[in-house]
Amino acid sequence: MMKSRFIPAIVLGAALAVSGCVGGVDVSREVAFDTPPPAVENIVIQDWDVVAVDVDVPRTLTVSEANTIKPRADIVWREDPIGDRHTQVDDLMTEALTPAFEAVTGSIPVIVNIEITRFHAQTQRVRYSNLPSEQEIEFILTVVHAETGVILSGPEELDLTFPALGGNDAIEADAAGLTQRLRITRRLQDWVQAEFIGTVAPSVLVAAAE
């Protein structure tokens, strides 16, 4: 974890294992997550200045609109109207990550590339049931020098999957504005804070959610 941009480098811990959309986790109404965001495995983070975030949602990723417990697809997203789910996921990820990475300022200009490999939110059937479920966010992280294009870190597979809300908890959360989009945004921004910043003003972390 990079405590300060003035610290030249630090080795981060191991990434969390991949987990499924519906699993044996307890549904909780708490905003806090059960586990911290995973660190990048064997990556040395230097004194980076993130000048751009490039999110890629490949068109090869499959999409499902089936209202089943766990559709067999790479992308499941229901909080936007039916449409181009690839673009919707790209927009969500970009809007969440860009303001968080703007706080990563150092001396080496870099571009953070995020290639989505799985984005599996809840179907309506699961969200309003008492089935335990998860928000799956998996991607490949690569950091390149903004001027030379040289890869400085990665590519590394990361999994930011975390427990989702369900049943009455989900209904109450929706009424309070605590949507899947907001919880996913917070998860992504917490990850940036933990792995690239260490500490950051709360206003930066919630900017994309307001």
Side-chain angles (χ1 to χ4, degrees):
M1 180 185 301
M2 189 173 182
K3 296 299 184 182
S4 167
R5 67 176 184 269
F6 299 108
I7 299 175
I10 185 166
V11 178
L12 300 178
L16 293 179
V18 174
S19 55
C21 180
V22 177
V25 295
D26 293 332
V27 175
S28 171
R29 64 174 38 173
E30 298 298 327
V31 175
F33 305 112
D34 292 348
T35 56
V40 183
E41 183 177 2
N42 299 324
I43 292 294
V44 176
I45 291 182
Q46 300 189 10
D47 190 16
W48 292 339
D49 178 19
V50 178
V51 298
V53 178
D54 182 12
V55 176
D56 178 28
V57 184
R59 289 287 164 174
T60 53
L61 296 181
T62 57
V63 178
S64 176
E65 300 293 340
N67 190 22
T68 57
I69 294 176
K70 188 176 177 64
R72 294 185 178 181
D74 302 312
I75 296 176
V76 174
W77 177 242
R78 303 299 163 78
E79 284 196 347
D80 284 313
I82 293 178
D84 189 337
R85 299 301 191 191
H86 295 81
T87 298
Q88 290 170 0
V89 170
D90 190 330
D91 290 344
L92 188 159
M93 296 287 293
T94 300
E95 290 169 7
L97 291 170
T98 297
F101 272 116
E102 285 177 351
V104 182
T105 55
S107 60
I108 303 173
V110 301
I111 297 173
V112 174
N113 295 310
I114 303 284
E115 179 184 338
I116 305 300
T117 55
R118 186 172 180 81
F119 189 95
H120 216 283
Q122 296 167 294
T123 63
Q124 300 91 325
R125 179 178 178 182
V126 170
R127 182 158 180 79
Y128 300 111
S129 73
N130 291 317
L131 292 171
S133 60
E134 296 175 321
Q135 307 279 6
E136 297 181 359
I137 311 169
E138 302 172 25
F139 55 88
I140 298 172
L141 171 69
T142 307
V143 180
V144 302
H145 196 290
E147 297 172 354
T148 67
V150 172
I151 295 178
L152 302 179
S153 291
E156 284 288 331
E157 295 182 359
L158 283 181
D159 179 10
L160 299 187
T161 296
F162 66 96
L165 302 178
N168 289 333
D169 290 337
I171 294 173
E172 293 176 9
D174 287 346
L178 188 58
T179 61
Q180 293 184 73
R181 179 188 301 275
L182 179 56
R183 297 190 79 231
I184 290 170
T185 294
R186 289 178 176 177
R187 179 62 162 179
L188 292 167
Q189 295 182 342
D190 285 349
W191 167 68
V192 174
Q193 178 188 9
E195 300 306 330
F196 296 90
I197 302 171
T199 58
V200 65
S203 60
V204 173
L205 294 180
V206 300
E210 294 179 344

